[in-house]
Amino acid sequence: MTNSPDTPQPRPPKKPPRRHRRAWGWLVVLVVVVLVVGGVFGTLLVSNAMTTSKYADSIASNDNVGSLSCSILGSSPVPIVSGTSFASLRHGVGWYEGSALPGQVGNFAVAGHRLGWGQPFAHLDRLQVGDQLQITAQGTTYTYTVITGPTVVSDKQSDVLASVPAAAGRVPSKALMTLTTAASLLPSPHRLVVVAELTSTT
């Protein structure tokens, strides 16, 4: 039996309007972005909590180079550990091995995370000339006063770690301190650098 010309033909199913398909696509993308960002921030919060919860015990153990205190950087002292590898920086601020020790003439150089793992240098960009940092080591407290505010340099510019910062080859005559961290919260080929000078010992 064949259909007559007057018999209604079945209609193919309607496709959703293109704009609706685009809206669903953007919604999926948005959900994925929210999940990824949420996961990243969740990981950072956990790493920060795990790291800072161990600061006091680490400082009390006296197994480190010393500890750093600065109201602008944070309310609690941060341990200064040997080395600047990723593994070292998971436990506090890292001391560049081979640089001067706290209180010594030369350049006492340290590095710290700006994001995650306690992020001790999250606010390094807020330090200004005249601000003070206290380094406690072997029962002595050394106060360093900032003489060069936050400066952005290439991560290839290693002379900031020289005995006289940014003046490799010069013989040091002062006890200085250089603090380094990432220039931004995102991966970057630049570093943020602050230089301080020893102004008192107690």
Side-chain angles (χ1 to χ4, degrees), residues 19-151:
R19 66 175 180 274
H20 289 172
R21 293 201 301 272
R22 272 197 294 241
W24 276 107
W26 281 112
L27 180 60
V28 170
V29 170
L30 179 62
V31 169
V32 170
V33 169
V34 168
L35 290 175
V36 170
V37 172
V40 169
F41 275 99
T43 300
L44 291 175
L45 289 174
V46 170
S47 73
N48 286 340
M50 289 175 56
T51 301
T52 55
S53 67
K54 299 175 182 177
Y55 279 174
D57 289 340
S58 179
I59 292 171
S61 71
N62 289 320
D63 292 334
N64 302 311
V65 174
S67 64
L68 180 153
S69 300
C70 177
S71 59
I72 295 172
L73 297 182
S75 57
S76 301
V78 180
I80 303 172
V81 303
S82 293
T84 55
S85 66
F86 182 78
S88 296
L89 296 183
R90 290 175 62 175
H91 302 288
V93 171
W95 168 63
Y96 284 95
E97 295 174 328
S99 70
L101 286 168
Q104 289 183 345
V105 171
N107 186 13
F108 169 50
V110 297
H113 280 303
R114 194 167 184 188
L115 188 65
W117 300 109
Q119 52 195 50
F121 286 171
H123 304 305
L124 193 69
D125 59 332
R126 297 183 184 178
L127 286 177
Q128 299 178 1
V129 173
D131 289 336
Q132 295 185 330
L133 308 102
Q134 283 76 41
I135 307 298
T136 301
Q138 304 298 317
T140 301
T141 297
Y142 304 94
T143 298
Y144 287 83
T145 302
V146 175
I147 57 173
T148 303
T151 305

